[in-house]
Amino acid sequence: GQNIDQPTEMTATEGAIVQINCTYQTSGFNGLFWYQQHAGEAPTFLSYNVLDGLEEKGRFSSFLSRSKGYSYLLLKELQMKDSASYLCAVLGGSYIPTFGRGTSLIVHP
Amino acid sequence: DGGITQSPKYLFRKEGQNVTLSCEQNLNHDAMYWYRQDPGQGLRLIYYSQIVNDFQKGDIAEGYSVSREKKESFPLTVTSAQKNPTAFYLCASSPRLAAYNEQFFGPGTRLTVL
């Protein structure tokens, strides 16, 4: 089976940097996704990591360490519109993604 | 415009009734999925389909049924056997089951059982 753990809620200030962690245990590993989901809306794709290291995409970066079963999503220059849930999803040996419970990020002025 | 649609956005049903949620995609994707999302929970997989006329149970399939008669369509029926059906239902698709399996999600259907 798979177990994915991420913090339930985080708060941060507009303009700051926030790091959202995700730890996982999985049988077979074919990559890790981060999705953003605003309340009542569909999740949208942010990033995919399958090799160790950092992937940067504008204000968002995602890091993966396969040996540690660990990933983080880094959000820079936070904006109010970044208030959302961030979902970590692991692609296991079956190629079916398993989602964590999501981290609700609240950005305040 | 290519995309994935779900209808209706809001759905109310009486206890004991079956209800079918629609999901259509024009992305030419082989794989389609149904998830359920409850407050404070992540997405839990109900059913998935890799190809037309084939589908597999996910983690919480009890009380649900699906069909995949066309590549574009993957309707979900919530039966009266589902004990706690009130939830937000999300349909997704991806090119296939493979690495870099980015999923594209529909806007969701919020089902309320009265």
Side-chain angles (χ1 to χ4, degrees), chain A residues 33 35 37 42 48 95 100-101, chain B residues 37 42 98-103 106:
Chain A
F33 292 88
Y35 288 86
Q37 185 182 25
Y48 171 76
Y95 295 106
R101 291 177 176 243
Chain B
Q37 188 174 36
Y100 197 76
N101 193 29
E102 177 189 345
Q103 292 175 306

Side-chain angles (χ1 to χ4, degrees), chain B residues 23-54:
Chain B
C23 177
E24 303 278 333
Q25 54 97 2
N26 61 3
L27 299 167
N28 200 33
H29 286 172
D30 284 327
M32 296 188 74
Y33 316 77
W34 273 105
Y35 292 94
R36 170 184 173 135
Q37 188 174 36
D38 296 283
Q41 302 268 346
L43 276 61
R44 292 186 290 168
L45 182 65
I46 305 173
Y47 269 97
Y48 68 96
S49 169
Q50 295 187 63
I51 198 167
V52 174
N53 293 322
D54 179 70

